Amino acid sequence: MDDLQQSDPRAGLPAGLHPARLHQALAAGLPAEALITDPDVMASYAHDMASFCAAGTPAAVVLPRTVEQVRHVMHTATELRVPVVPQGARTGLSGAANASDGCIVLSLVRMDRILEIDPVNRIAVVEPGVVNAVLSRAVAEHGLYYPPDPSSWEMCTIGGNIGTASGGLCCVKYGVTAEYVLGLDVVLADGRLLRTGRRTAKGVAGYDLTRLFVGSEGTLGIVVGAVLALRPQPPVQLALAAEFPTAEAACAAVCAIMERGHTPSLLELMDGTTVRAVNKLAHMGLPDTTEALLLCAFDTPDPAADLAAVGELCRAAGATEVVPAEDAAESELLLQARRLSLTALETIKTATMIDDVCVPRTRLAAMLSGTAAIAAKYGLTIGVCAHAGDGNTHPVVCFDHADEDESRRARESFDEIMALGLELGGTITGEHGVGVLKKEWLARELGPVGVELQRGIKQTFDPLGLLNPGKLF
């Protein structure tokens, strides 16, 4: 390493390392099509979908197809002391996949094979670049079900889902990604290959390293394979929509539904701002007096009976209208409003910031009313859609990115919403991750002892600090 003395300001690489030397070292173990060095093409890999998150200029982009190619990249990175930023489809909302100056972007989207589907053991073995929806459809052909379903499921990859511990609409009944990852193949920072977890239904041998990697956002290792748990395909779900004159009444219905022991497959809430945006976009005919829309679905053997019971609870909480679907087609029409939420809010201004604060269900009403007060304080439009059954809210701050003052107010309101969530006993992220966007808030949530221990874990797995630098901490 004696020749690495002076920095190259063009790329931000380690002192004395010229980009050509890095490219040559990478090319020695990669096919030509796997290595990208064209600046214009590399720029398209610089960031994910988050607002207000700085992104640097990569020195190289690598798209491997094999584990050995990933290991070569990490051997090279360690030898030359070059940071590595792992990426999936870049649909994330926290900047976790953003490039840093002079890094190697390691995009895993070409490692997209489903290696095995085992109906007896109810597992799938996949590479990280498999798209969530592709896996879901493949296992459905075997009468099986992979529940985690982020809103971006048609684009996002399993590796990215694992990196951010993502959730989705069905979490209220089926849980998040972490609950379906049984084992992992991980390339460590120095290029060694680690296998964690198991293929069996049970297993408690040693520390649970598998769960440690889930949600680590590429800061501990590169996931190159996963053993995923599957479930039997449930019956087709039926849904209902309930209109409420206040968000508080809708939240009271949520609490009543959960308190009575119901297990909906979906329990979603849209506030009045979101309802009006969807109405304007899709002409759904919801009354202007609707200040909250609650959507509930069941995939039980008798969903109609479950919907009838929930409908009564909604009416008792103050619902002005309850509309149960009679079949799957009607259910999809009702759920379309929720699927259009973000698209509709994006039409209000030129940019959006999507928060991801999760609170106890009993504090959901306080979260919504507090967010409305923050919107009024900053003079902004903030719509809230929520996985209400989890208490996971997604306040969407709408703003004009070309207006400097409005952009400042948007960022300040975003921070106040996170502070509100912590005050209510919640967490700064339920499923989107920390990345760049929330790393200052992670320290507040964890406290000094928690931060010290987590940094110690990072040091153990990545002593040179090469993996996804600047994320989480």
Side-chain angles (χ1 to χ4, degrees):
M1 304 304 294
D2 292 340
D3 57 337
L4 303 185
Q5 296 297 325
Q6 270 186 321
S7 64
D8 183 344
R10 295 171 297 172
L13 289 168
L17 177 61
H18 194 277
R21 179 180 170 193
L22 171 64
H23 299 162
Q24 182 180 21
L26 289 170
L30 297 170
E33 68 273 10
L35 178 60
I36 297 173
T37 59
D38 181 281
D40 292 334
V41 178
M42 289 195 296
S44 67
Y45 289 86
H47 57 82
D48 63 17
M49 298 177 69
S51 300
F52 294 110
C53 292
T57 302
V61 174
V62 178
L63 293 98
R65 290 190 183 275
T66 69
V67 173
E68 285 308 310
Q69 290 170 12
V70 175
R71 296 186 69 187
H72 168 69
V73 170
M74 294 313 305
H75 282 305
T76 302
T78 295
E79 179 184 355
L80 299 180
R81 303 300 195 261
V82 178
V84 176
V85 175
Q87 288 184 350
R90 292 179 288 111
T91 58
L93 294 165
S94 67
N98 284 14
S100 56
D101 282 336
C103 76
I104 300 168
V105 164
L106 185 60
S107 173
L108 300 161
V109 293
R110 291 183 182 172
M111 295 181 68
D112 60 356
R113 293 180 301 163
I114 299 174
L115 301 174
E116 182 182 353
I117 297 173
D118 182 342
V120 175
N121 291 305
R122 295 180 183 171
I123 60 171
V125 182
V126 306
E127 292 182 328
V130 173
V131 171
N132 185 295
V134 171
L135 175 63
S136 296
R137 294 183 183 118
V139 301
E141 295 178 5
H142 297 265
L144 297 169
Y145 178 42
Y146 181 67
D149 62 342
S151 296
S152 58
W153 77 304
E154 292 281 7
M155 299 177 288
C156 64
T157 62
I158 296 299
N161 295 166
I162 291 170
T164 58
S166 59
L169 300 183
C170 70
C171 293
V172 61
K173 180 173 182 178
Y174 293 104
V176 296
T177 296
E179 295 167 64
Y180 295 88
V181 182
L182 297 177
L184 294 171
D185 288 345
V186 182
V187 175
L188 299 176
D190 60 7
R192 288 179 297 165
L193 181 63
L194 169 70
R195 179 159 290 173
T196 76
R198 63 194 193 278
R199 294 171 59 101
T200 56
K202 296 165 64 178
V204 294
Y207 295 129
D208 189 351
L209 295 182
T210 302
R211 197 66 176 252
L212 181 61
F213 281 104
V214 179
S216 65
E217 301 185 26
T219 62
L220 301 180
I222 311 294
V223 172
V224 292
V227 180
L228 304 175
L230 305 174
R231 289 178 174 244
Q233 185 70 251
V236 175
Q237 67 179 5
L238 285 183
L240 69 72
E243 301 168 22
F244 290 87
T246 67
E248 289 77 12
C251 293
V254 170
C255 291
I257 291 166
M258 302 308 293
E259 185 179 17
R260 296 295 180 88
H262 292 288
T263 55
S265 55
L266 174 149
L267 189 56
E268 298 288 305
L269 185 148
M270 299 158 55
D271 74 348
T273 299
T274 307
V275 168
R276 285 185 284 276
V278 170
N279 246 347
K280 183 177 179 180
L281 177 68
H283 309 290
M284 301 195 74
L286 295 169
D288 291 338
T289 54
T290 301
E291 287 298 326
L293 184 69
L294 190 64
L295 298 161
C296 183
F298 286 90
D299 58 7
T300 52
D302 188 6
D306 290 312
L307 289 182
V310 164
E312 288 304 312
L313 293 175
C314 288
R315 291 187 183 93
T320 54
E321 187 75 27
V322 176
V323 181
E326 294 186 1
D327 55 34
E330 284 190 11
S331 291
E332 280 304 307
L333 286 175
L334 293 177
L335 296 179
Q336 186 66 10
R338 174 62 179 87
R339 301 190 202 283
L340 288 173
S341 293
L342 180 56
T343 302
L345 290 168
E346 287 175 339
T347 66
I348 295 175
K349 290 282 187 173
T350 61
T352 57
M353 286 189 74
I354 306 173
D355 218 322
D356 173 37
V357 174
C358 192
V359 297
R361 298 183 190 103
T362 50
R363 308 309 303 274
L364 190 59
M367 186 68 204
L368 266 66
S369 62
T371 300
I374 291 169
K377 173 182 175 181
Y378 286 96
L380 295 167
T381 298
I382 303 178
V384 181
C385 47
H387 308 311
D390 309 324
N392 193 175
T393 67
H394 294 307
V396 181
V397 183
C398 306
F399 65 100
D400 182 353
H401 73 277
D403 185 324
E404 185 175 335
D405 180 67
E406 192 162 284
S407 295
R408 175 191 57 79
R409 285 183 280 129
R411 181 62 209 237
E412 290 179 6
S413 71
F414 186 90
D415 286 344
E416 284 207 21
I417 289 168
M418 284 191 286
L420 173 65
L422 292 181
E423 290 169 11
L424 295 174
T427 175
I428 59 169
T429 177
E431 57 188 12
H432 292 172
V434 175
V436 176
L437 190 62
K438 297 186 175 185
K439 63 180 185 178
E440 294 178 8
W441 285 93
L442 178 64
R444 300 193 197 189
E445 179 171 334
L446 295 179
V449 175
V451 169
E452 179 185 351
L453 289 173
Q454 295 214 11
R455 284 178 172 163
I457 292 170
K458 165 73 170 173
Q459 176 68 21
T460 297
F461 281 89
D462 182 21
L464 298 177
L466 299 179
L467 286 169
N468 218 3
K471 315 297 168 53
L472 291 178
F473 306 109

